[in-house]
């Protein structure tokens, strides 16, 4: 990470640029905070190895960007980096290449004299003298001997349209008027401490006007704030006519200041061709230029597209023409696009074991009795590669798979760019497949049960309560209901993840899940638990070893045994979301089922132990065979 004067001020992992500190977010450094700038400011001069080749993810990103009216992309790029930055911190690789950032908030406060001023006011000096210690970068104020530290004034303005702005300290302390003594008054910020929210006074040195920041907080405080100016500091832009949304006071670094829009895809083995529909979905940005057989033949001769030789040329050309002529319908939402990536992954994980490659390797594991009564397939995913792409972000309102209309997407660049930032991580995993017949028979039993009906009705209330006022089209409260299959598989996944973390020493935040839950027409019933962080936990075979015949049987039995009781019982075991409750879980809590947000694909929703183990005398609604019950 580099300051806009091309000075290195810190480092972050590539995966953090996807989920934690991406474009438009604030990064807390030891002495101040910075904002990650948009794609227009990123430079790849001298960088050659940055392309992440994952056509399925690129196609999915384009389908999602279509929904937001954005231009199509042609490339997924890793963050700019050159080898040698650590060994030669004074060289170009360290100082000239990196993710560009700028100080934000740009109002600073002296820790000694409480002077409050902007970075460009001349009050403060930036010190970053030692290139080998970028974490020591800081702003200082020359008000006394030793030049005390200047820290960021932590208040910002945010709106639901995704704008972010500095707090208007000068206008605020003068109640929207100008200072009566001088055009550019000197301000001081005094923090009085206490335990009643913020207790910070802004004071004008020239006219002695004072005002506490608490007058800008809460619903009543919004009337004391100016209209949003429509500022996107990561793009360096303002809306020409301002923004109609009201501004909200927020402390810099608050958890709801930035939510990423991220898509991810697993790299699949090459040559699993034959399905032209999948081919078009995965490679549409490249194939859409084909209009005749000669173009197809020419593309096939290129090494990059050698896999096309496995398909019938005339059939592919005809399918491309049909797709161009036909109406594709409304563009899907980002969560729908992510779900659409799961189909080919399911086929690769559950189909014939392919030849191992650097990105994908499977090994079949025999299932001992009585595990074979619940599972029909157990596979060690010895190698996998997951690619992730950041396509935008929201502020205040998080993007929600259950309510995709909530939250307004903010673009990553001011001008049209043909790429988006991406990262990739290699790891390992365990793939499980539940017996299709067992799942279908269980779904038929519980479909009309009062317990599942309570979940379904709560989902409708949840959607209705979170419905955005900005949504004017037809509204279906049950749109996106995942169904009983998903609840059962998701609950089983969490039980296994928690058991692996507790018994085997894995950090649960190092794991991730993918739930493959189909329906009557598409009976997918599987779970992939895999490592999701680029460290040693995901590359040394520790997770794969747990899928060995003896180890895995013990883990499943303990998971189901732990599910039968919870320290929160009977409150937890009896919990169901009855009207007017709109939470999306039943017998589940932080003690028994919840995992970290980075691990769960649905935010700890759609979980209920009663569908896997009997929590009362009634065993008719339990999916797990009797032989496995504790």
């Amino acid at each position: 990470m580099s300051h806009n004067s091309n000075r290195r001020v810190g480092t972050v992992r590539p995966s953090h640029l996807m989920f934690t500190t991406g474009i438009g977010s604030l990064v807390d450094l030891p002495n101040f905070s910075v904002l990650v700038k948009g794609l227009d400011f990123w430079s790849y001069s001298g960088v050659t190895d940055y392309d992440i080749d994952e056509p399925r993810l690129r196609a999915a990103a384009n389908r999602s960007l279509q929904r937001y009216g954005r231009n199509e992309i042609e490339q997924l790029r890793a963050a700019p980096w050159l080898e040698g930055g650590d060994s030669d911190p004074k060289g170009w690789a360290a100082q000239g290449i990196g993710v560009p950032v700028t100080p934000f908030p740009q109002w600073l406060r002296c820790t000694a004299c409480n002077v409050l001023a902007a970075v460009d006011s001349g009050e403060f000096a930036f010190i970053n003298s030692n290139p080998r210690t970028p974490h020591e970068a800081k702003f200082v104020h020359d008000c006394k001997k030793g030049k005390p530290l200047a820290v960021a004034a932590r208040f910002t303005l945010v709106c639901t349209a995704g704008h972010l702005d500095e707090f208007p300290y000068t206008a605020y302390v003068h109640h929207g008027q100008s200072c009566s003594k001088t055009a550019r008054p000197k301000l001081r910020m005094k923090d009085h401490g206490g335990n009643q929210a913020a207790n910070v006074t802004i004071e004008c040195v020239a006219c002695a006007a004072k005002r506490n920041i608490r007058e800008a907080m809460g619903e009543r405080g919004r009337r004391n704030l100016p209209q949003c100016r429509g500022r996107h500091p990561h793009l360096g832009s303002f809306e020409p006519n301002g923004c109609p949304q009201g501004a909200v006071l927020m402390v810099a670094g608050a958890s709801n200041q930035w939510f990423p829009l991220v898509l991810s895809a697993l790299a699949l083995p090459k040559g699993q061709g034959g399905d032209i529909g999948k081919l078009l979905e995965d490679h549409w940005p490249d194939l859409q230029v084909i209009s005749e057989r000669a173009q197809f033949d020419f593309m096939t001769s290129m090494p990059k597209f050698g896999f096309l030789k496995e398909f019938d040329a005339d059939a592919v050309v005809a399918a491309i023409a049909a797709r161009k002529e036909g109406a594709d319908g409304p563009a899907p939402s980002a969560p729908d696009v992510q779900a659409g990536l799961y189909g080919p992954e399911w086929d690769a994980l559950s189909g014939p074991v392919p030849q191992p490659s650097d990105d994908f390797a499977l090994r079949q594991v025999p299932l001992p009795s009585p595990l074979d009564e619940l599972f029909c397939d157990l596979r060690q995913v010895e190698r996998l590669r997951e690619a992730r792409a950041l396509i935008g972000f929201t502020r205040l309102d998080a993007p929600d798979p259950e309510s995709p209309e909530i939250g307004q997407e903010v673009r990553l660049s001011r001008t049209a760019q043909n790429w988006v930032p991406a990262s990739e991580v290699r790891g390992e995993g365990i793939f499980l497949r539940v017996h299709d017949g067992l799942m279908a028979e269980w779904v038929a039993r519980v479909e009309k049960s009062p317990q599942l009906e309570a979940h379904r009705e709560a989902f409708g209330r949840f959607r209705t309560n979170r419905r955005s006022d900005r949504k004017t089209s037809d509204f279906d409260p049950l749109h996106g209901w995942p169904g009983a299959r998903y609840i059962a598989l998701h609950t089983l996944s969490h039980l296994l993840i928690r058991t692996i973390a507790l018994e085997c020493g894995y950090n649960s935040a190092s794991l991730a899940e993918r739930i493959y839950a189909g329906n009557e027409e598409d009976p997918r019933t599987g779970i992939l638990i895999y490592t999701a962080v680029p460290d040693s936990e995901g590359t040394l075979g520790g997770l794969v070893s747990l899928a060995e015949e003896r180890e895995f049987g013990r883990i499943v039995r303990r998971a189901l045994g732990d599910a039968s009781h919870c320290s929160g019982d009977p409150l937890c075991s009896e919990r169901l979301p009855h009207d007017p409750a709109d939470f999306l879980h039943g017998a589940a809590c932080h003690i028994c089922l919840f995992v970290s947000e980075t691990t769960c694909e649905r935010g700890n929703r759609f979980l209920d132990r009663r569908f896997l183990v009997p929590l009362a005398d009634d065993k008719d609604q339990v999916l797990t065979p009797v032989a496995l019950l504790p």
Side-chain angles (χ1 to χ4, degrees):
M1 287 191 134
S2 57
H3 177 34
N4 53 9
S5 60
N6 280 341
R7 302 185 192 181
R8 188 179 174 196
V9 294
T11 58
V12 295
R13 285 182 173 184
S15 58
H16 285 187
L17 289 172
M18 299 291 106
F19 299 104
T20 310
T21 59
I23 293 172
S25 71
L26 296 180
V27 185
D28 278 326
L29 302 177
N31 299 312
F32 60 103
S33 62
V34 293
L35 179 95
V36 182
K37 302 180 75 172
L39 300 182
D40 308 87
F41 303 95
W42 290 38
S43 173
Y44 286 84
S45 176
V47 182
T48 57
D49 186 18
Y50 55 77
D51 182 43
I52 295 179
D53 182 23
E54 188 50 58
R56 290 198 319 120
L57 182 58
R58 186 180 60 198
N62 279 327
R63 293 197 298 274
S64 189
L65 290 170
Q66 178 190 356
R67 174 178 182 260
Y68 301 119
R70 304 287 188 251
N71 64 294
E72 288 195 350
I73 61 166
E74 300 174 0
Q75 196 175 44
L76 305 172
R77 290 187 181 182
W81 177 82
L82 274 179
E83 190 173 357
D86 296 328
S87 59
D88 183 17
K90 293 185 178 181
W92 170 250
Q95 301 298 323
I97 298 297
V99 177
V101 298
T102 186
F104 196 95
Q106 295 196 333
W107 280 75
L108 305 176
R109 176 183 66 86
C110 175
T111 55
C113 67
N114 292 322
V115 160
L116 178 67
V119 169
D120 57 359
S121 64
E123 286 280 351
F124 308 106
F126 180 63
I127 297 178
N128 190 13
S129 55
N130 189 348
R132 292 190 179 274
T133 57
H135 59 279
E136 294 180 357
K138 59 184 177 180
F139 288 91
V140 296
H141 187 219
D142 192 11
C143 63
K144 58 189 294 188
K145 186 177 180 180
K147 295 185 179 181
L149 180 69
V151 297
R154 303 292 292 173
F155 299 105
T156 62
L157 296 181
V158 183
C159 84
T160 54
H163 299 117
L164 175 67
D165 206 349
E166 303 278 356
F167 187 84
Y169 295 102
T170 303
Y172 178 74
V173 72
H174 295 101
H175 295 266
Q177 306 299 317
S178 300
C179 179
S180 59
K181 301 294 185 181
T182 179
R184 300 192 67 179
K186 192 172 186 178
L187 303 181
R188 295 190 189 278
M189 172 184 280
K190 297 182 179 180
D191 189 347
H192 306 289
N195 58 3
Q196 295 183 350
N199 189 10
V200 177
T201 298
I202 313 300
E203 177 183 352
C204 176
V205 176
C207 67
K210 296 182 180 180
R211 200 173 187 187
N212 197 292
I213 203 74
R214 283 186 295 191
E215 296 182 32
M217 301 178 70
E219 291 293 332
R220 298 178 61 181
R222 293 185 186 184
R223 295 193 292 266
N224 297 324
L225 295 175
Q227 194 71 18
C228 178
R229 297 191 297 172
R231 184 186 182 193
H232 286 310
H234 69 291
L235 304 179
S237 67
F238 287 87
E239 296 292 340
N241 300 320
C243 172
Q245 303 293 333
V248 178
L249 175 68
M250 184 172 289
V251 177
S255 60
N256 61 339
Q257 196 167 82
W258 186 83
F259 298 99
L261 284 165
V262 177
L263 296 173
S264 70
L266 300 182
L268 301 183
K270 303 295 183 183
Q272 286 200 336
D275 189 329
I276 295 178
K278 291 180 187 175
L279 175 71
L280 299 190
E281 288 295 322
D282 297 347
H283 303 277
W284 182 247
D286 297 316
L287 299 181
Q288 63 180 336
V289 300
I290 296 177
S291 58
E292 56 185 21
R293 172 67 182 268
Q295 292 173 306
F296 180 88
D297 293 339
F298 175 76
M299 185 173 287
T300 304
S301 65
M302 301 170 63
K304 181 180 178 181
F305 299 105
F307 59 89
L308 292 177
K309 296 177 181 178
E310 301 178 12
F311 294 87
D312 181 84
D314 294 330
V316 173
V317 173
I320 294 173
R323 177 162 177 167
K324 287 180 179 179
E325 295 174 1
D328 290 334
S333 66
D336 291 337
V337 171
Q338 178 66 69
L341 288 167
Y342 282 17
E345 294 176 8
W346 168 261
D347 293 339
L349 290 166
S350 63
V353 176
Q355 289 294 322
S357 66
D358 292 339
D359 294 338
F360 193 84
L362 282 179
R363 190 170 77 86
Q364 190 84 33
V365 178
L367 276 164
S369 178
L371 283 184
D372 55 357
E373 295 186 29
L374 176 60
F375 304 113
C376 63
D377 207 357
L378 171 61
R379 298 185 177 189
Q380 296 171 323
V381 187
E382 296 177 330
R383 287 192 296 275
L384 61 79
R385 178 173 67 92
E386 182 187 21
R388 303 152 173 171
L390 177 68
I391 60 174
F393 65 89
T394 66
R395 300 195 193 276
L396 290 181
D397 295 323
D400 194 330
E402 282 69 65
S403 300
E405 71 277 2
I406 293 178
Q408 185 168 334
E409 178 261 359
V410 182
R411 65 175 65 203
L412 302 179
S413 61
R414 190 171 183 176
T415 59
Q417 301 288 333
N418 66 349
W419 61 279
V420 292
S423 70
E424 59 183 357
V425 59
R426 296 178 185 274
E428 56 184 320
I430 301 173
F431 174 72
L432 303 164
R433 182 174 178 178
V434 177
H435 277 293
D436 297 344
L438 177 67
M439 179 63 75
E441 186 270 335
W442 175 80
V443 170
R445 284 205 320 266
V446 304
E447 192 64 38
K448 302 298 182 182
S449 67
Q451 292 83 1
L452 188 64
E453 189 63 27
H455 280 279
R456 188 184 295 109
E457 292 175 355
F459 179 81
R461 290 191 297 271
F462 175 87
R463 288 258 301 148
T464 301
N465 293 342
R466 293 206 69 192
R467 181 183 181 184
S468 173
D469 294 336
R470 299 185 293 274
K471 184 175 175 65
T472 58
S473 57
D474 294 337
F475 178 76
D476 178 9
L478 290 179
H479 173 73
W481 164 244
R485 290 172 181 266
Y486 189 92
I487 295 177
L489 291 171
H490 195 205
T491 303
L492 178 59
S493 174
H494 277 223
L495 287 174
L496 293 174
I497 288 173
R498 288 176 63 93
T499 304
I500 290 170
L502 291 174
E503 182 170 324
C504 309
Y506 263 93
N507 177 3
S508 65
S510 300
L511 303 176
E513 64 181 2
R514 288 172 109 82
I515 309 299
Y516 302 98
N519 48 46
E520 289 75 10
E521 293 77 24
D522 180 19
R524 287 179 287 173
T525 52
I527 303 167
L528 174 65
I529 299 173
Y530 64 104
T531 52
V533 291
D535 60 15
S536 59
E537 276 197 353
T539 57
L540 298 181
L543 182 59
V544 162
S545 67
L546 300 181
E548 295 294 342
E549 186 174 334
R550 185 178 61 181
E551 290 287 329
F552 192 70
R554 178 173 53 83
I555 289 173
V556 171
R557 284 190 172 279
R558 175 169 178 179
L560 295 175
D562 291 346
S564 63
H565 54 82
C566 171
S567 299
D569 289 342
L571 293 178
C572 179
S573 62
E574 296 175 355
R575 183 185 296 114
L576 269 175
H578 293 299
D579 190 21
D582 64 352
F583 52 85
L584 299 182
H585 62 273
C589 67
H590 287 282
I591 302 172
C592 59
L593 273 185
F594 290 175
V595 296
S596 63
E597 292 182 1
T598 56
T599 297
C600 180
E601 67 176 17
R602 298 298 281 268
N604 283 320
R605 297 169 181 166
F606 310 114
L607 298 166
D608 199 329
R609 290 183 290 133
R610 62 170 49 86
F611 293 132
L612 285 184
V613 294
L615 301 182
D617 293 335
D618 184 12
K619 294 187 178 182
D620 292 340
Q621 63 187 13
V622 176
L623 170 66
T624 311
V626 174
L628 279 170
L629 290 176

